[in-house]
Amino acid sequence: MKRNLDMIKGIIEKEDFHIHPRPDYSDERIISTYVNELTKIGVFDIGFVEHGVRKSSKHQSVLYNEQIINDYSRKIKNIDKSKDINIWAGIEVDYYGCEEFAKEYMDMVNASNLEFVIGSVHGKYVDYNAYLEDTIAMLENYKIDILGHFKMCDDIWQYNNVGKVIKLLCEKQVFFEVNIAPRYDAPLLVKEYVYSLLRSNNVRISVGSDAHSIDDIHKNYTNLAWMDIIQKQ
């Protein structure tokens, strides 16, 4: 994998490193439509991702073997675009535990032609601390570049493991994704608290709208409260 993480600046409405080119990444017209819509907003640094092997059988695994991963990567990078637009090919991997299968899959991902890896802990957690423990395990055992859509509960400051997540991000030099999708939103005080921890620990941020459709782009880019927090601090 040829990583060049200097491309990530963490500027909302200028970059987006979490775009799922649905319904079909192999259709250049679809990808071009995403690019056109994003550039209308002012986003010229675009990272496309698709899901790897999914933990839940309810969700579709897309990039699940070496050939598909590398075909996808070539398709994204060969899109015809103007010289002021930058496009990267990445993947969003689920935390899939630490069994041998997960290790072999991550080895394959990191040996591929992709350019960045988002690691996300998916699923509904009744116990927030269990979610944090899985996030810690992923950061300790998976080679990822960006922590995707970190879930934030209303009393997040009550959980010591949040601090451990932040410290691991710093130690592993993993970006924290500011995810602007409304489904991952949190109260203002919670976001301010998390951002203060990121700042004090020198954790870099990336920006992602987590769009799975063209409509998602227009919907998610109305949720820009993170921008005020970042500019204020």
Side-chain angles (χ1 to χ4, degrees):
M1 180 177 290
K2 296 180 179 179
R3 287 178 161 88
N4 177 19
L5 302 182
D6 291 338
M7 63 191 180
I8 302 175
K9 307 297 184 185
I11 305 174
I12 298 175
E13 290 191 312
K14 297 295 183 183
E15 67 180 46
D16 192 331
F17 284 93
H18 197 151
I19 296 286
H20 295 267
R22 302 292 176 88
D24 184 6
Y25 71 79
S26 67
D27 189 331
E28 293 184 11
R29 294 169 301 175
I30 290 174
I31 298 174
S32 295
T33 301
Y34 278 90
V35 172
N36 290 336
E37 292 302 314
L38 286 163
T39 55
K40 287 177 185 177
I41 298 169
V43 176
F44 287 84
D45 292 320
I46 303 167
F48 285 104
V49 299
E50 260 305 355
H51 288 286
V53 175
R54 303 306 306 270
K55 184 177 181 179
S56 170
S57 59
K58 295 179 181 179
H59 296 97
Q60 180 185 9
S61 299
V62 181
L63 305 179
Y64 54 84
N65 66 37
E66 184 177 7
Q67 180 178 342
I68 292 174
I69 289 173
N70 288 329
D71 286 347
Y72 155 83
S73 178
R74 282 191 294 270
K75 181 69 71 172
I76 296 296
K77 288 188 280 190
N78 287 336
I79 287 297
D80 186 30
K81 58 182 178 58
S82 65
K83 63 181 180 180
D84 56 342
I85 299 172
N86 301 304
I87 295 177
W88 290 273
I91 186 172
E92 182 179 13
V93 298
D94 281 24
Y95 173 63
Y96 210 88
C98 297
E99 302 301 323
E100 191 62 30
F101 167 78
K103 294 177 182 178
E104 291 176 357
Y105 179 73
M106 288 305 300
D107 286 344
M108 179 183 68
V109 166
N110 282 294
S112 71
N113 293 330
L114 295 169
E115 295 166 293
F116 67 98
V117 179
I118 297 176
S120 301
V121 178
H122 290 98
K124 295 180 179 179
Y125 284 78
V126 176
D127 181 357
Y128 186 61
N129 210 49
Y131 166 75
L132 293 173
E133 288 173 354
D134 280 353
T135 302
I136 289 167
M138 180 178 67
L139 289 169
E140 289 178 334
N141 294 283
Y142 287 30
K143 174 63 176 173
I144 64 172
D145 303 303
I146 299 170
L147 174 62
H149 52 63
F150 181 66
K151 295 180 174 70
M152 297 173 285
C153 67
D154 289 355
D155 59 345
I156 194 169
W157 36 78
Q158 302 290 338
Y159 293 86
N160 292 332
N161 272 337
V162 172
K164 188 168 183 179
V165 169
I166 302 297
K167 289 187 182 301
L168 278 169
L169 291 173
C170 179
E171 290 172 12
K172 303 283 187 178
Q173 296 186 321
V174 173
F175 288 78
F176 177 93
E177 179 184 74
V178 170
N179 189 300
I180 63 172
R183 65 183 177 278
Y184 294 115
D185 208 359
L188 180 61
L189 286 176
V190 171
K191 289 188 286 193
E192 289 178 336
Y193 172 75
V194 170
Y195 191 65
S196 69
L197 291 178
L198 296 170
R199 289 261 299 182
S200 62
N201 285 274
N202 296 313
V203 176
R204 293 180 294 174
I205 65 170
S206 68
V207 178
S209 65
D210 208 350
H212 286 65
S213 68
I214 297 297
D215 287 344
D216 279 350
I217 293 174
H218 303 294
K219 177 177 67 177
N220 295 359
Y221 272 90
T222 63
N223 183 44
L224 298 178
W226 270 112
M227 182 182 291
D228 294 333
I229 294 169
I230 292 168
Q231 290 175 344
K232 184 168 62 177
Q233 297 195 33

